Amino acid sequence: MFSGALIAMLSKVLLAGVVVLTLSLYWVLVPPRHPRNIPAVPFWVTLLPLFFDVDQENTYRRYIRKPLQQYGVIKIFFGGQWNLVIQRPTYVAEMFKHEEVYQKSGNQKKIPHSVLAEFLGDNIISSRGDDWKLYRNIIKPGLQKTFETQPIVANARKLCSLLKKSQQALGSQGILIQNHIQCYTTANISKCVLQAEIESLSTENDTLMKLQLAVKREIFKPIFMNFPLLDRFGSFIPSRAHARELVRRFSSELESRLVRDHTEMPDSEASDNVGSRLIAARDRGELTQQQFRDNLNVTFVAGQENPQLLLISTMYLLGKYPEVQCRLRSEIEGCGADEPSHLILRDMPYLTSVTYESLRLFPPISQLINRRVAKPVVLGGEIYIPQNTYVGYNCYATNRDPTVWGKTADEFRPERWGSTTKEISMRYRVARARAEFTSFHGGSRACLGETFALLEMKLSLFILLKNLSWRLDPKWEDRKTPVRNLPRPLF
Ligand code: HEM
């Protein structure tokens, strides 16, 4: 038998539990009131990938595109909270311009306990103020120099051999290119930017490559992206403890490879690459060990992953549109050179248009929410945003805005950029300045690796098209998210 006092105490505990649960559900399920008259994507849309095999593009078309294009801004649940996502170019331009109001606030601030925050920490992309200036002074000169073309060309030739070998092994079956491209862009970023030898194209069993794949698999799991709070209880979830362990092993492997390759390097070579500049800044005491690691990791990840995604998308588009592949090959053959140089690339308009068009349709960073509003602000003179609201931008939607790109906004049409080098670069500059094309962000926080990424892309296409031709495997299901072993939604 329970005593009256015990029953009373249990009832109070139960009541407190119900109140906490109700408040948590309210916090999660109900979108914030402000800004008023701005639609919210239903909360459950974010949960679809947890239970169903959904293609990201279908989710976007079905639930996100229309309100985003109509209002230019929507409320969306992500990372354990409600955020605002901006699409309209004039609003995006305003956000890029007023960095002091729309302040960078990366995962290290937003979800400091998460595995993702442990992986990339406080770095040049997510920081602001004096820390950002310090990181930028160290990294920028290593990214904005004139890069040699030869190492990328040599790696691109190795990639062609790898692809040919896979094709021969599989006969008439289609081959999956993702892992080969990952090895390729890893080799490029390590050699050209960090000046470290990571032999990802020569051996299948490179430890760093294996750790990199394992880390990516863990950190992008939808359940933890949506509910990073779960990472607080990591010690009770064995797979999260394992994810942290992988992150630590990856960081120390990358650091030890870099330091090993820089020990013997002559000073003349050492001063102008990001790897040595980071090591020197740490040795001088300008960077703590933690800041060194965070910035090394982010340079490696941003410099590897984004070009990888861009090259995969472009190969996909050229496989889907053989007439574009054919026209591009003619331009490459027509220039009469076996080896591309800066000079030759400068006058290849179709190669430039194909690169821009692919970046427009499939920006590697399609949506990013890493800013917080420092004070109440009225966006575009009409949308009131309260202080501390998390704000991001949807580059995928902006780059396909029909009011800017016309009725064919969703189509792959490289010729929309123009026909001469001058015309194309003018169109590109204008679209970037007006935030109509935001693949590399804009304003003072624009991508510092753009020049390297565009060079890498053009050199890669030049060599690939000279040596190979390809098409989509007719048996492959044409969708953007890889097929998973989950039921398909019925709606
Ligand atoms: C196709 C390739 C690439 C794309 C589409 C891309 C895109 C972007 C975007 C959208 C941002 C801004 C992120 C934000 O809003 O917070 C950014 C920043 C940055 N990117 Fe890239 N990136 C690419 C390649 C690279 C490469 C190869 C590097 C070289 C390591 C690099 C280094 C950086 C750095 C250092 C920043 C931070 C700039 C700052 O805040 O001062 N990126 N990139």
Side-chain angles (χ1 to χ4, degrees), residues 323-462:
E323 64 289 359
V324 179
Q325 188 179 147
C326 199
R327 185 169 160 195
L328 185 54
R329 188 170 293 105
S330 304
E331 183 180 81
I332 290 168
E333 299 291 356
C335 81
D338 275 342
E339 183 114 336
S341 64
H342 285 286
L343 201 66
I344 286 171
L345 293 183
R346 208 169 292 160
D347 203 21
M348 300 199 68
Y350 201 57
L351 179 60
T352 308
S353 307
V354 167
T355 306
Y356 291 167
E357 186 65 350
S358 172
L359 267 166
R360 184 186 72 81
L361 280 181
F362 296 116
I365 302 178
S366 55
Q367 175 171 287
L368 196 57
I369 304 171
N370 66 355
R371 286 161 196 280
R372 190 152 58 159
V373 171
K375 57 179 188 192
V377 64
V378 182
L379 179 68
E382 49 194 351
I383 300 170
Y384 170 78
I385 308 180
Q387 186 176 11
N388 291 334
T389 305
Y390 262 94
V391 179
Y393 58 104
N394 189 310
C395 175
Y396 189 85
T398 302
N399 286 4
R400 290 167 177 248
D401 188 331
T403 62
V404 174
W405 300 98
K407 281 191 191 140
T408 62
D410 284 325
E411 292 169 23
F412 180 54
R413 293 187 174 217
E415 54 286 354
R416 76 171 77 241
W417 291 91
S419 52
T420 63
T421 302
K422 196 170 161 199
E423 235 173 57
I424 296 164
S425 70
M426 177 66 89
R427 178 85 182 89
Y428 184 68
R429 275 210 300 272
V430 170
R432 289 210 52 185
R434 293 183 183 155
E436 294 166 353
F437 171 91
T438 55
S439 303
F440 288 113
H441 195 276
S444 61
R445 301 303 300 261
C447 175
L448 289 174
E450 175 183 350
T451 315
F452 174 75
L454 292 176
L455 175 71
E456 180 182 17
M457 187 62 194
K458 289 180 186 176
L459 292 172
S460 313
L461 289 178
F462 192 106

Side-chain angles (χ1 to χ4, degrees), residues 15 72 139 187 201 309 338 402 438:
L15 186 68
I139 292 172
L201 282 166
L309 295 174
D338 275 342
T438 55

Side-chain angles (χ1 to χ4, degrees), residues 9 26 66 77 101 166 174 220 343 371 381-382 387 433 451 461:
M9 198 184 77
Y26 183 79
K66 198 167 163 215
F77 187 85
V101 179
S166 300
F220 296 124
L343 201 66
R371 286 161 196 280
E382 49 194 351
Q387 186 176 11
T451 315
L461 289 178

